[in-house]
Amino acid sequence: MSIRFDGRVAIVTGAGNGLGRCHAISLAERGAKVVVNDLGGARDGSGGSSDAAKAVVAEIEAAGGEAIANGANVADMEQVQAMVDEAREKWGRVDILVNNAGVLRDKSFSKVEIDDFDFVLDVHLMGSVNCSKAVWPLMREQGYGRIAMTTSSSGMYGNFGQTNYGAAKMGVIGLMNTLVLEGAKYGIKVNALSPCAATRMTEDIIPENLLGLLTPESVTPALLFIVSDDAPNRTIITAGAGTFARTIVYETGGKWLPEEDQTPEKIAENWAEISDAASQMEYTSGNDQTQNMLTKAATGLGIKL
Ligand SMILES: NC(=O)c1ccc[n+]([C@@H]2O[C@H](COP(=O)([O-])OP(=O)(O)OC[C@H]3O[C@@H](n4cnc5c(N)ncnc54)[C@H](O)[C@@H]3O)[C@@H](O)[C@H]2O)c1
């Protein structure tokens, strides 16, 4: 089975460098027409020029593909809307959105400024919100859409000095979870990529002798999979150095306590059973959790369901 994107139009944000560049080139190689978006700033978001995006477009065209460069700042809704309008005018549709653009402003929580928080959240979280919001009506109209968020192990597990980045990267998972529910009847699937690659974003974090293994090319196949026609839905795929895995949020089934036992002391006493992973479940909406609570309470109280 060959995964192709012929006839599909894709927007890849932050595609002037690193992972985004590799995603854009690979989508184009497999037939997609690609909007190569990049603000072209430095790693901390300062500066800006569309040279990087233009260079990627030139590469795609030289290989026989179709692409346009776009310099929108994903944190600016007006610029994002104009980018989506341009894609629609040129190619009539937008099938795939890859929310990849990112910046870092790492500092320990005691030193990080609120401005550093606002800035990082604006690019990663609001950038993903803006781009998803701008393509959403079009994808609904088409009855087809694939959106990829870019999350991070820093969000899911934490990383020293990255409270702002980690919060933003978990934020896009929250965005994904509800978009999945709202997009289901319109053929829209939303997934997330959790990459690990040696790019300018990680150059001073990973030991030099291992950097060579962490190529963007070893990550991009996971991105292609989650934006393909037969993509899964609501899936977080991790990719790095050729290892692909799935991240899943589970919740234990828990233990119901009768009213007289609904105390912090009884919770402490029952903690092993409450947190027993043997009963864990993967929920696909917030309502699943409520159902579990009410089912357990009704069973405990002898109420017929
Ligand atoms: N490299 C990794 O190991 C790693 C790990 C986890 C998550 N990520 C995520 O993957 C994505 C790509 O990271 P990368 O390592 O390729 O970084 P990178 O710095 O090489 O590329 C990010 C690109 O985003 C662009 N950009 C920044 N702000 C923008 C804005 N406001 N509007 C449009 N473009 C903007 C930059 O100009 C840059 O070209 C990011 O979301 C990052 O957080 C990377």
Side-chain angles (χ1 to χ4, degrees), residues 13-20 37-43 45 52 71-75 99-104 119 123-124 150-154 165 169 193-202 206:
T13 69
N17 290 288
L19 289 161
N37 159 267
D38 207 291
L39 177 66
R43 190 174 84 155
N73 175 358
V74 295
N99 286 311
N100 166 81
V103 287
L104 289 178
F119 184 73
V123 175
H124 289 277
T150 306
T151 184
S152 170
S153 56
S154 302
Y165 179 74
K169 287 309 204 186
L193 171 70
S194 177
C196 184
T199 66
R200 65 184 192 167
M201 212 175 251
T202 46
I206 293 163

Side-chain angles (χ1 to χ4, degrees), residues 3 18 60 72 76 89 94 104 110 133 137 143 154 194-195 209 218 222 229 231 241 250 255-256 270 285:
I3 291 184
I60 290 174
D76 181 319
E89 274 156 35
V94 175
L104 289 178
S110 61
K133 179 82 179 147
S154 302
S194 177
N209 59 336
S218 69
D229 280 2
Y250 290 113
K255 181 179 170 62
W256 178 76
N270 287 282
S285 84

